[in-house]
Amino acid sequence: MPPQAPPSFIPKKPLDTGTAYRAPGGVGFLLFIALVIFIVSVVGAGGVFAWEKVTAGSITSKSESLQKAEGAFDLSTVEDLIRTSERIDNASVLLAAHVAPSAVFAFLSQQTLQNVQFTTFNYTLNNDDTAAVTMSGVADSFSSVALQSDQFGASKVLKDVIFSEIKNSAGGSVSFTVGATVDASLINYGKNLDNSSVAPNVPVQATISTSTSSSTPH
């Protein structure tokens, strides 16, 4: 039997020596991401610090400007202006709530027909700032009473106008009683400072003789 050649210990293929020292590819990517995050964090922290410094400097500057502006005003003058402003506000509130019954007489002077005369006048202020008015009067005829009823009924400041107790009186005249609710806009003092706005101009003549039986002074 022929002798066999001893086995060779020399590898037939070259060994891949590079794989023993190659770092995994994912580790380098993670290191890069970590580095980016660190840089962003440092830059953000620096930005916040700089913004705080700028804001603090702005607040200090504005505080100093405000103190200088306050020093330019006299304290007693400022207090006087504040008291004056409060008085004006209080006066405005009182003016808005004040009523002027005299506006009712100005209204009647323009709305009463020539042949109609009122002899009594009763005025009561309601809680809703309207007023209840009751009057007695005389006219020369039933037609004049009817015309006066139409005149009051066409008004926008008189509500619930009711003529009653219409009857013949001495001397051929006709007596009557009228009741109505006066709208708050007519007797509001602030709205009627201008006398021309008390009542609309109506081309009628007026003859009023009032004897106030009871009234509420304002």
Side-chain angles (χ1 to χ4, degrees):
M1 183 175 181
Q4 296 181 356
S8 176
F9 294 97
I10 300 175
K12 295 180 180 181
K13 293 182 179 180
L15 297 176
D16 188 3
T17 59
T19 57
Y21 304 96
R22 183 178 300 173
V27 176
F29 180 74
L30 291 177
L31 289 175
F32 175 76
I33 295 298
L35 181 60
V36 171
I37 294 175
F38 175 75
I39 294 174
V40 171
S41 300
V42 172
V43 173
V48 171
F49 179 77
W51 176 253
E52 289 179 352
K53 289 294 184 181
V54 172
T55 303
S58 177
I59 293 175
T60 302
S61 176
K62 291 181 179 179
S63 298
E64 293 175 354
S65 300
L66 180 60
Q67 291 177 357
K68 292 180 180 180
E70 290 177 349
F73 294 96
D74 183 24
L75 182 59
S76 60
T77 302
V78 174
E79 292 176 350
D80 291 340
L81 292 175
I82 293 175
R83 285 194 295 267
T84 302
S85 177
E86 292 176 350
R87 290 173 181 173
I88 293 175
D89 292 340
N90 293 334
S92 300
V93 173
L94 293 176
L95 184 62
H98 187 63
V99 295
S102 57
V104 179
F105 293 101
F107 172 81
L108 292 175
S109 69
Q110 296 187 16
Q111 294 291 317
T112 304
L113 300 179
Q114 183 176 5
N115 298 325
V116 176
Q117 183 181 35
F118 291 107
T119 56
T120 65
F121 177 87
N122 186 13
Y123 169 93
T124 303
L125 183 64
N126 299 324
N127 294 330
D128 58 354
D129 295 333
T130 62
V133 173
T134 303
M135 298 178 292
S136 298
V138 292
D140 63 342
S141 65
F142 288 98
S143 297
S144 296
V145 176
L147 289 174
Q148 187 63 69
S149 176
D150 292 340
Q151 186 79 8
F152 283 171
S155 171
K156 295 182 179 180
V157 295
L158 291 183
K159 309 296 182 182
D160 304 325
V161 180
I162 299 177
F163 279 73
S164 61
E165 301 181 9
I166 303 174
K167 57 185 177 181
N168 289 319
S169 184
S173 61
V174 177
S175 63
F176 63 91
T177 300
V178 57
T181 300
V182 180
D183 190 80
S185 62
L186 177 63
I187 57 178
N188 183 278
Y189 182 78
K191 294 181 180 179
N192 293 315
L193 288 177
D194 182 7
N195 292 331
S196 62
S197 65
V198 170
N201 293 326
V202 180
V204 295
Q205 297 181 359
T207 302
I208 299 181
S209 174
T210 59
S211 174
T212 306
S213 59
S214 64
S215 62
T216 303
H218 287 276

